[in-house]
Amino acid sequence: MKRSEVNEIIRESDKFIRSFGYVMPPFAYWSPEELKARTATDSRAILQARLGWDITDYGQGKFDELGLFLFTTRNGNQEDLKKGGGMLYAEKIMISREKQLSPMHRHIVKAEDIINRGGGTLVLELFNSNPDGSVDEKTDVEVATDGRIVRQKAGGLLKLQPGESVTLLPGNWHAFWGEGGDVLIGEVSTVNDDLTDNIFREPIGRFSSIDEDEAPLHLLVSDYDKWLA
Ligand SMILES: [Fe+2]
């Protein structure tokens, strides 16, 4: 993706998010220079927990069809996970645009509640895993949606209206997209490691490669290793 495109998506997404009365934390608006200065002093946690902007086209260069906007607002500690106590949770705010696919994937560690916070309908395609981890094309899928167990056929579509949510457990294969409009999505989950805990059905990348045609408005999480080293 071009950096100018990433900057434009940041501007549009911020406006969309604010239209629902949700405001992101102060560090969202730090310039790259300020982020660099602060993560070297009192804000190392942003770097360590990989908080912040995350715009991905899954490396395929067609963001409108295949992509997702994410902002990680909080993320716990992998060490706490091993200890079994402490900051074991994470939270993201995301936008799935109308007909914009987040491709079929599962997680090994992370359980996640995916919440329609407003806008269009959020559609999720769901499968179980086979014992070897691959997509189980046959068995019915059972998931919890707002305290209710829903059972549907393999590959069935679960449609979430604003206010509705689903709990996806490790092993639940899922793909999702917006229908009838762009969707503001909340994610509440187990500690999150996007470098290791996303298994995609098709061979695909998790992050975008960026063509630097202008200066970044804000850094993406995927820029941190290069820009804040
Ligand atoms: Fe997921």
Side-chain angles (χ1 to χ4, degrees):
M1 295 173 90
K2 286 186 168 32
R3 180 67 72 175
S4 53
E5 197 186 340
V6 170
N7 288 344
E8 188 52 29
I9 293 166
I10 287 178
R11 288 190 198 96
E12 290 167 0
S13 302
D14 184 52
K15 205 167 145 197
F16 184 73
I17 290 168
R18 284 174 182 269
S19 76
F20 294 91
Y22 187 107
V23 182
M24 281 181 294
F27 65 83
Y29 304 103
W30 293 350
S31 65
E33 296 72 29
E34 187 170 8
L35 185 67
K36 183 161 188 167
R38 294 224 189 181
T39 50
T41 54
D42 63 347
S43 300
R44 286 188 174 284
I46 293 172
L47 213 56
Q48 282 157 357
R50 298 180 83 80
L51 310 181
W53 303 91
D54 180 2
I55 290 161
T56 184
D57 64 355
Y58 300 95
Q60 304 299 298
K62 41 181 183 178
F63 179 76
D64 291 344
E65 293 164 50
L66 189 70
L68 185 64
F69 166 92
L70 313 94
F71 187 97
T72 303
T73 49
R74 68 200 77 244
N75 191 14
N77 188 326
Q78 300 289 334
E79 294 304 311
D80 283 358
L81 204 55
K82 285 177 211 152
K83 279 189 283 180
M87 191 175 180
L88 306 178
Y89 54 88
E91 183 195 32
K92 293 179 184 179
I93 189 83
M94 315 191 289
I95 301 167
S96 218
R97 296 188 180 187
E98 185 173 10
K99 295 179 184 158
Q100 183 189 39
L101 176 69
S102 277
M104 189 59 68
H105 67 284
R106 66 177 169 86
H107 308 288
I108 301 164
V109 174
K110 184 170 73 159
E112 57 189 10
D113 276 20
I114 301 292
I115 308 149
N116 184 334
R117 295 283 191 203
T121 302
L122 180 63
V123 184
L124 296 105
E125 183 184 10
L126 302 173
F127 293 95
N128 293 322
S129 291
N130 287 312
D132 68 357
S134 61
V135 174
D136 175 349
E137 310 263 3
K138 295 198 182 80
T139 62
D140 289 0
V141 179
E142 270 191 5
V143 283
T145 62
D146 305 300
R148 188 170 65 100
I149 300 296
V150 170
R151 189 181 175 94
Q152 56 182 39
K153 295 275 178 229
L157 302 182
L158 179 71
K159 298 198 175 191
L160 300 178
Q161 304 305 323
E164 295 182 330
S165 69
V166 62
T167 300
L168 300 174
L169 296 173
N172 283 144
W173 283 95
H174 52 287
F176 56 88
W177 59 90
E179 187 180 84
D182 300 347
V183 187
L184 183 69
I185 305 168
E187 178 180 304
V188 173
S189 76
T190 318
V191 181
N192 174 77
D193 185 352
D194 279 320
L195 298 174
T196 59
D197 198 18
N198 293 288
I199 311 290
F200 291 98
R201 182 174 57 183
E202 315 301 338
I204 207 168
R206 167 61 179 80
F207 297 102
S208 306
S209 60
I210 310 271
D211 170 8
E212 303 292 347
D213 64 333
E214 67 179 42
L217 187 60
H218 303 295
L219 294 184
L220 303 181
V221 170
S222 51
D223 292 323
Y224 291 175
D225 291 342
K226 182 174 155 198
W227 291 68
L228 303 179

